[in-house]
Amino acid sequence: MSAVLDRPAVATGRSTRPSRTGYAVILLLSSAALLVSIAAAVSFGSVRIPIGDVWAIVAHRLAPGTFESWWTEARAAIVIDSRLPRSLTAAVVGASLALAGGVAQAVTRNPLADPYLLGVSSGAGFGVVMVMTLGIGAGALGAFTVPAAAFVGALIPLFLALAIGGRYPQSTAIVLVGVAVGSVFTALITLTLLVFADERSLSGVLHWLAGGFGDARWSTLVFPVLALVGVGMLVSITAPRMDLLKTGDDGAAVLGMNVRRFRMMQLMAISLLAGAAVSVSGGIGFVGLLVPHLAGYVVGTRAVRLLPLAALFGAIALVGADTLARSITQSTEVPVGVITALVGAPIFVFMLYRRYAREI
């Protein structure tokens, strides 16, 4: 998983991993930080709404009549219909990408693996290009048209990578096929935009590819939530077996694991999870790559502990990135993918430096 970047134990032999109580406290504090970050994100904007009012509006909507309202209907609409679904979508996508990244790094034993390992992002982008540029299926599903096209597009490279690379016992075969297929879809996106796109469709596609949550609605939040819950349940059941892969494929097989079947199942699950996230957010990098390493610094590399914390960290990170993206300038909204790249790349390079500087 994140073993390459994992912090070693101190010289006295005392483990840096927290106890069970300490781990529970970390999860509790992280959950509280996530709630505060969502409330702050909903509060912030062109119309500033006090955080206390945000909590009151949400509580009033969940339990009407519990107390008398003092806010205007306009503010309630801003919170409930616009900012809250956007912030929750950012949290769900961040958790999904971080969880998928942690699982990908575990099952491939590659610390540089991320959720887009099998060309999911490129396939999703191609699906969006088909709708926005060529008009294939445009408007067929209403507000769900673009997310559905992105999800179907994400499944195509996944299927090809598993069908071709899955025939070989080495996990690197699936990864390499995924990279190749992803490159083909990236080339198809570029070719389609150059040949068929007009100014309007080109702007829309490029904005989607850069990643963001400007189109987030309650209706588009349903599918990523279902994917996160479903894969989360799978991960909670199979996480202890992921640690067996640290002994190598042969070692895991001796311990009774069908390594090939287990890896295929996990790769399919994380690709579906990433596809569902990408379908509503566009391409957002570095969350799935970086966040599992950060979680590994805190609780170690055991999948049972790392993956839940990575999901919480990912949610917090992407809510913060989205808030920053819409607050840098008043005239336009910066794509969230730009923020995650500008912030994540230097952090990741610094982590690599800290890890390998000790070995020089």
Side-chain angles (χ1 to χ4, degrees):
M1 195 176 301
S2 55
V4 171
L5 299 177
D6 193 29
R7 180 184 298 169
V10 292
T12 59
R14 181 174 57 87
S15 174
T16 61
R17 297 172 180 173
S19 64
R20 181 174 300 180
T21 302
Y23 177 68
V25 171
I26 291 172
L27 287 182
L28 183 62
L29 292 176
S30 299
S31 300
L34 176 58
L35 292 176
V36 171
S37 66
I38 292 174
V42 175
S43 171
F44 188 84
S46 57
V47 177
R48 298 296 296 272
I49 302 175
I51 291 183
D53 288 7
V54 171
W55 289 114
I57 291 171
V58 174
H60 184 72
R61 181 58 63 94
L62 294 176
T66 53
F67 50 86
E68 186 177 354
S69 62
W70 64 84
W71 53 85
T72 65
E73 287 299 322
R75 288 198 168 193
I78 291 173
V79 170
I80 299 299
D81 299 329
S82 178
R83 295 183 186 173
L84 185 58
R86 174 171 181 151
S87 297
L88 289 178
T89 300
V92 170
V93 170
S96 298
L97 294 178
L99 180 62
V103 176
Q105 291 166 16
V107 299
T108 63
R109 300 200 306 275
N110 182 354
L112 299 181
D114 71 358
Y116 305 139
L117 192 66
L118 304 180
V120 171
S121 181
S122 299
F126 183 70
V128 172
V129 168
M130 292 295 98
V131 171
M132 290 187 175
T133 303
L134 301 181
I136 299 177
L141 300 176
F144 291 95
T145 300
V146 171
F151 182 68
V152 172
L155 294 183
I156 297 174
L158 165 64
F159 173 79
L160 293 174
L162 294 179
I164 299 173
R167 301 173 61 185
Y168 304 96
Q170 298 85 0
S171 62
T172 52
I174 300 176
V175 175
L176 292 175
V177 172
V179 172
V181 172
S183 299
V184 170
F185 276 95
T186 299
L188 290 175
I189 291 172
T190 303
L191 178 63
T192 304
L193 292 178
L194 288 175
V195 175
F196 298 105
D198 55 23
E199 183 176 348
R200 181 179 178 181
S201 61
L202 178 61
S203 176
V205 170
L206 291 179
H207 186 78
W208 188 92
L209 291 174
F213 303 100
D215 297 327
R217 300 291 183 271
W218 288 111
S219 58
T220 58
L221 180 59
V222 175
F223 187 51
V225 169
L226 292 177
L228 178 60
V229 172
V231 176
M233 293 176 60
L234 173 66
V235 166
S236 66
I237 296 172
T238 60
R241 302 184 65 191
M242 293 182 196
D243 292 325
L244 297 180
L245 293 175
K246 295 178 182 178
T247 63
D249 288 2
D250 292 339
V254 169
L255 294 173
M257 177 187 290
N258 187 324
V259 176
R260 182 180 179 186
R261 181 185 303 171
F262 181 79
R263 181 173 287 122
M264 291 277 286
M265 177 182 67
Q266 296 297 329
L267 289 175
M268 182 175 295
I270 64 177
S271 296
L272 291 172
L273 182 62
V278 169
S279 70
V280 298
S281 68
I284 297 178
F286 279 97
V287 176
L289 174 63
L290 177 62
V291 171
H293 292 291
L294 295 177
Y297 265 89
V298 178
V299 296
T301 60
R302 285 184 58 199
V304 174
R305 290 191 167 198
L306 184 146
L307 295 177
L309 187 63
L312 287 171
F313 280 5
I316 295 170
L318 209 49
V319 170
D322 180 56
T323 305
L324 181 61
R326 56 188 175 87
S327 62
I328 291 180
T329 64
Q330 296 293 331
S331 58
T332 186
E333 182 177 310
V334 177
V336 178
V338 173
I339 300 297
T340 58
L342 291 176
V343 176
I347 294 176
F348 190 69
V349 170
F350 177 73
M351 291 173 63
L352 288 173
Y353 170 77
R354 287 288 303 273
R355 170 63 179 87
Y356 290 109
R358 292 190 294 265
E359 300 179 2
I360 298 178

